[in-house]
Structure formats: C-alpha cells, structure tokens
Amino acid sequence: MAIQKIKIIGILLRIYRVLTPGQRQKALLNAGLVLGNAFLEVFSLAAALPLLALLLDSSVIRANPHLNRAFLFFGFGSESGFVIAAALLLLLLFILKNGIGVFIHYYQSRFAYGVSSELSEQAFGEYYAREYTRITDTNSSLPTRDIIFIPTEFSIYVLLAAITLFSEGFILLLICAGIALYDPRVFLLLTVLLSPALFLVYRFKRTRLERIGRQSEELKPLSVKYLFQGIYAYIDAKLYARERYFQQRFSSVQRELNRSFALFNTLNALPARLLETIALLGMVSIVLYSLAVSDDRQEVILLLGVFGAGAYRVMPSINRILVALVNIKTFNYTLDILEESQRASSQVPPENPHPAAPLRFEKFIALHNVSFSYSDNPSFRLNRVNFMLKKGETVGLIGKSGSGKTTIINIMLRFLREQSGEILLDGRPLRPGDTTAWRSLIGYVKQAPFILDGSIKENVAFGEMPGGIDAERLALALEQAGLKDWIAALPQGVETQIGEQGAKLSGGQRQRIAIARALYRNSEILIFDEATSELDRETEREIVSAIESLSGQKKTILLVAHRVTTLKPCQRIYELKDGEIAGFYQYADLREREFEGGK
C-alpha cells in the first residue's frame, strides 16, 4: 500500500505540473471550497445525532442546560414543538448544505471542462507548430485523438477524479474522526468490516482497469483512422463493392473498445454493491452485539443511528474515492500524452513579439545552389539547384515523377528548409524570421486544393470571419479567376454552399476557387503545383487561359506541370532531372517533346 500511495502522490504531482499557472490557482481555490464543504458536510451530519437523541428521549431538553435555555428563550409551549422546530432547522441546514454542494460541484465541473478546452486549444496549437515532415509522418487519427479525446478524458477521469479524491478523502477523514470520538465501538466496527473488503476490491480492479486504459489508448486512434478511411473511400468502396471490408474493420475495433468500456463500467459499479452489503452486515452486527451485552433498546437504536448516519455519508465517500482511484489509474496514459505534447511545445521557438517588417518584392526571386535530401530516402538528393523568377514573369518547371519538383515547391513555401544554398529575394537571403512575411507574398494553388464545407465566399476569403470579408476584393478575385458569370447565375451567388471538399463543384471550378483564394490575398507571387493535372483538356485550356490573364496583371507566376501544353504562358521553362536543373527552354522548344512529370 505504501508503494501505491507513492504512485498516487506522483500522479497528483504530474497533474499539477500539466496545469498552467492560472489553472493551478483555480485548483487551489477548488481545494479551499472543498475544505469548506467538508466541514459543512461533517457539521450537518453531526447535527442529526442530537435530533435522534431528542426523538428517543425528549426529557433531554430539560436536562441539557443549552437546550433548556433555547427552549425557554424561544418560548416553546411543549417539548414536541421544540423537537419539530429542531427537525425543521436540520432540514434547512441540509438544504443549505446541498445547495452549496451543488454550487461547488458546478464550479469544479466548469473548472475541469475549462481545462479540457484549454488543453485542446494547446494541442491544436502544438499541431500547427510541428515541422512539416512530422505532419506527413503521422497518421491523422493521432492528432485527432490528442486534440479531442485526450483533453476530455484527462479532465473528467483524472483531474476531476483527483478533486473528488481530495474532497471525499478529507470528508471521510473528518467523519471517521468524529465517529471515533463519539463512539469508538462504531468506528472499530466500520474499520474491521470495510478495510479488508475495500483493499481486495481495489487490488482486483486496479490491474484490470489499467489494462482497459492501455487498450483505450491504442484502439481509439485506430477506430478514428478506420472510420475516416471508410468515409473518404465512399466512391471506391461502392464501385468495387468493398463496403463490408471498411465496415468490418471499423466494427471489429469498435466492438473491442466497447467491450472494454462495458467492463470498465461494471467494475466501477462493484464497490457500491459491496458497500451496500457491508452496511447491512454492520447493522446486523450492531443488533447482535447489543443484544449480547445490553438490554437497553434506546442504546441499540442510538448505536444504529450513529452507524446509519456514518454509513449514510461514509459509504458514498468510500465508493467515490475508489472510483476516483481506479479512474486515475485507468486514464493515467493521458498524462503521458499531455506531457509529451508539452515537451514538444517547449522545443518550438517562441514567436517573435516584434514581427519582422513586411518584405518588399521589386526585382527577382532566385534559388541559389539549393540542396536538400530526405533522411528516410537517401537515394534522392536535390543538388545545387539554381533558377530565377523576375518580377512579373511566368516561369515553368517540368520534370519526371520523383525529379524533385514538389521538394522545390515545399522549400519555397518554407515547409522544408534547404540544407545548403539559399533563397534570394531581390538579392537578400531569406532568414528564418522572414517566413510569415514571405508567405504573405505567396498564393498557392495545388493539384487537389482544400475546400471548406461552406460557401463560395468563405472558401475564397479562406480563414476570415464573415463580418471581416472585403466584398470588393472578393468580387475582383472572382472576376480575375473567371468565376463572375457562373456565380451570377447561381440563386444564392457567393453564399452558395459547395459541400465537403467541393463535392458540388467540377474539377475546374474547384481550381478556379483556389485561384480566387490566392488572388483575394492580393498575392504578388502565384505558385501553381500540378494545378491542371487532374483536369480534362478543355478545362485545362480554360485554366491556362485564366493563368495567362493573370500574367498580364504583373503577377509573378511559377507554374509546375507535367503537361507541356499547360506551360504555354511561360516565358521560360526549367527542366528538373534527378534533383538537378538539366536545362531551360522556351515553350516552342518543348512543344514537340514529351515529358512525363509529377511529384
């Protein structure tokens, strides 16, 4: 038990360290409220015993100087009236006590769920602070678990359980001390009956619930992963008649998870059943003890009253303590994940409180001797790449799949960092602190643009609150992207809902909305990454025409494509081969050649 005590204290210290300074202050306020409530609980319970004595023998009123003084002061006409008044006063005390208890419980719940919200925000922030390579190496079900499930489980089953452990433990301590002072026999009986049974129950539950906790940690991300895969695979699953595959894979994990939860709930209900049996056993023991040593029926009733009053509050407290202990042990793994998240957050450089000044782009952008390789793919290396985009130019980049085009794009977007060489803006190397200002110059249109499940307006003004959307900029961006006439024909115009991932749009319309999004930001540099690779020839010609019109608006454009026809607007086209620039050409030079490009 000493080892278990040390473990619980260690867990409580870890809980304290996970909380922010503000949350710790609120936790201490909770502790103060808990202590006050504990004294009120014990006082209200103790107040019931004099009433029981009065009911057994009303002559106590005259015999006790304090009760007699109250009897005379308030002018009671009979002892029965005094007893009724005492009963009503006890009732009011319990109403007050329970009202205060409800308020404290509400405050505790608000605190715990507030911590859950803050931890979710913190986890979401830590996700966006991660390096791009870590994002691509992690299954999306894990951040889903860490952002949604872990903060809630920690707050309910660990933090709230720790508060319950503290409050109920202190109440139990006070009540047991009071019972020991009032009648040591009752205290001894409670101790003898409860201690062995509760110890065995705790030992029985502990290992099983720890195993359930670990299963939950492993199975929840798997369940989310299989669910997401099944949802996003709708078309392919229907086409190839593989619905049962996705359903069975998800259901098998979900059934195992739910079996664990069923066992968890059953084990948590076990102490209440056991305590009820022990309470009845205690009452029978008191009756048998009293009959054996005394014929005084009033003493038997008084002993039963003391035991009943103690059991009325002690038994639920013990049950809550046991449930809190096993919850903490079961969901202890949430602390591991939260601590790992906080360690990762602490390694992220803090944001500069004085953001770098906006970057000015007046002459050219150049990649100078840029090299890069992936640690998990040593066979590929981007080797001393050099090329230039002059302001207002449209430049193309072409190459076979695996030649390094996407790596160059990610370096330019600063998701990857060159291992040697540099990116120059008007001759000045980009510094790490320039990332935000640099990205503000760039509009990015990728092969499969992300489309919000919302309106056209929300997608073009991506990330802006509805009240902050600039209607003039929105209209101009839609016109420049060639969407004006199409939107004018829609009954709801820019408020038209376009479905999840643009399910109600054609491929060309999705790409045009992505172009409008880049233009709404008034981006000076536009990067098109295989933006027409999934479009038919006619739609490709329309998108190329839209890009050509943008090049006449003094936009600087980098066009990455695997079709030579897509590169028609380019003044200069670089060929990338095996991670190196193999040459540069005019569009006419490439028209007769065939390139198979891609990522």
Side-chain angles (χ1 to χ4, degrees), residues 252-439:
S252 64
V253 174
Q254 199 65 16
R255 279 196 298 269
E256 189 173 351
L257 195 58
N258 287 331
R259 279 196 294 269
S260 296
F261 289 149
L263 180 59
F264 173 77
N265 287 330
T266 302
L267 291 174
N268 265 352
L270 184 61
R273 303 293 181 183
L274 178 65
L275 289 170
E276 182 181 306
T277 305
I278 290 172
L280 182 59
L281 178 62
M283 295 179 73
V284 172
S285 300
I286 287 174
V287 171
L288 294 176
Y289 167 78
S290 300
L291 290 174
V293 301
S294 174
D295 293 329
D296 189 347
R297 293 288 182 266
Q298 286 191 354
E299 183 184 6
V300 174
I301 295 172
L302 191 58
L303 279 173
L304 285 173
V306 172
F307 182 86
Y312 164 78
R313 196 59 187 83
V314 166
M315 298 297 185
S317 286
I318 292 174
N319 183 49
R320 293 184 191 119
I321 288 170
L322 282 176
V323 170
L325 282 171
V326 295
N327 282 348
I328 290 171
K329 298 291 286 184
T330 303
F331 292 92
N332 183 31
Y333 71 88
T334 61
L335 281 168
D336 300 333
I337 295 169
L338 290 173
E339 288 169 342
E340 175 59 33
S341 176
Q342 290 185 343
R343 277 193 293 270
S345 297
S346 67
Q347 294 170 3
V348 176
E351 291 187 7
N352 188 349
H354 306 291
L359 296 175
R360 295 178 63 84
F361 173 35
E362 297 178 344
K363 297 178 182 178
F364 68 90
I365 303 164
L367 270 70
H368 177 62
N369 289 334
V370 169
S371 298
F372 181 86
S373 62
Y374 295 96
S375 59
D376 59 349
N377 184 15
S379 62
F380 170 82
R381 178 173 173 79
L382 206 62
N383 188 34
R384 299 177 65 83
V385 170
N386 292 274
F387 71 82
M388 178 185 291
L389 292 86
K390 294 179 182 177
K391 188 176 177 68
E393 272 192 325
T394 299
V395 173
L397 185 64
I398 196 168
K400 292 182 179 180
S401 177
S403 61
K405 301 189 302 298
T406 295
T407 301
I408 287 178
I409 296 301
N410 282 328
I411 289 173
M412 293 188 69
L413 295 173
R414 314 313 283 155
F415 291 122
L416 298 175
R417 296 300 171 101
E418 61 277 5
Q419 292 160 347
S420 63
E422 55 196 359
I423 297 179
L424 303 174
L425 178 64
D426 293 340
R428 184 181 78 84
L430 286 182
R431 297 185 296 263
D434 292 330
T435 299
T436 300
W438 167 249
R439 286 176 178 166

Side-chain angles (χ1 to χ4, degrees), residues 113-135:
Y113 282 98
V115 169
S116 174
S117 297
E118 291 176 22
L119 288 173
S120 289
E121 293 169 13
Q122 178 182 311
F124 208 174
E126 189 272 325
Y127 174 80
Y128 275 123
R130 292 178 184 178
E131 293 290 334
Y132 173 72
T133 50
R134 186 181 171 196
I135 296 294

Side-chain angles (χ1 to χ4, degrees), residues 40-259:
L40 191 58
E41 288 274 2
V42 174
F43 178 75
S44 60
L45 186 62
L49 297 178
L51 179 62
L52 180 61
L54 289 177
L55 290 172
L56 292 173
D57 185 5
S58 59
S59 65
V60 172
I61 299 171
R62 301 289 186 180
N64 187 292
H66 300 294
L67 294 179
N68 188 49
R69 192 177 300 116
F71 181 83
L72 296 174
F73 179 81
F74 289 105
F76 285 99
S78 67
E79 293 174 350
S80 298
F82 186 86
V83 172
I84 292 172
L88 292 175
L89 187 62
L90 182 65
L91 177 62
L92 288 174
L93 177 62
F94 267 76
I95 291 172
L96 176 65
K97 182 264 296 185
N98 288 326
I100 293 173
V102 168
F103 167 76
I104 292 173
H105 183 77
Y106 171 73
Y107 184 82
Q108 290 173 347
S109 299
R110 280 287 302 271
F111 166 65
Y113 282 98
V115 169
S116 174
S117 297
E118 291 176 22
L119 288 173
S120 289
E121 293 169 13
Q122 178 182 311
F124 208 174
E126 189 272 325
Y127 174 80
Y128 275 123
R130 292 178 184 178
E131 293 290 334
Y132 173 72
T133 50
R134 186 181 171 196
I135 296 294
T136 56
D137 290 342
T138 304
N139 188 280
S140 61
S141 63
L142 292 177
T144 300
R145 177 201 66 182
D146 296 349
I147 294 168
I148 297 177
F149 299 122
I150 293 300
T152 303
E153 289 176 347
F154 166 77
S155 298
I156 296 174
Y157 297 113
V158 179
L159 179 59
L160 211 53
I163 293 172
T164 300
L165 187 64
F166 176 71
S167 61
E168 296 297 336
F170 194 74
I171 289 171
L172 181 63
L173 182 65
L174 289 179
I175 291 175
C176 288
I179 292 174
L181 290 173
Y182 184 83
D183 195 322
R185 294 173 299 174
V186 175
F187 173 74
L188 183 62
L189 180 62
L190 281 169
T191 303
V192 169
L193 289 174
L194 290 176
S195 298
L198 295 179
F199 174 75
L200 291 174
V201 168
Y202 177 73
R203 295 286 295 180
F204 174 76
K205 291 173 62 174
R206 181 172 58 85
T207 53
R208 287 160 179 80
L209 289 170
E210 283 180 345
R211 186 165 61 248
I212 291 171
R214 291 298 170 188
Q215 282 181 329
S216 176
E217 180 186 6
E218 295 170 3
L219 293 177
K220 278 186 178 177
L222 204 57
S223 176
V224 172
K225 172 184 172 181
Y226 289 161
L227 177 61
F228 282 178
Q229 288 181 351
I231 289 172
Y232 292 131
Y234 174 82
I235 291 176
D236 298 88
K238 296 290 286 185
L239 181 64
Y240 297 114
R242 291 292 183 267
E243 301 98 322
R244 288 299 300 161
Y245 167 77
F246 290 100
Q247 290 172 354
Q248 288 174 351
R249 203 166 56 147
F250 170 74
S251 297
S252 64
V253 174
Q254 199 65 16
R255 279 196 298 269
E256 189 173 351
L257 195 58
N258 287 331
R259 279 196 294 269

Side-chain angles (χ1 to χ4, degrees), residues 455-462 474 477-478 483 513 516-518 520:
S455 65
I456 294 171
K457 178 173 70 175
E458 289 172 318
N459 273 279
V460 174
F462 190 75
L474 177 67
L478 291 170
L483 291 169
I513 283 178
R517 179 185 295 168
Y520 178 82

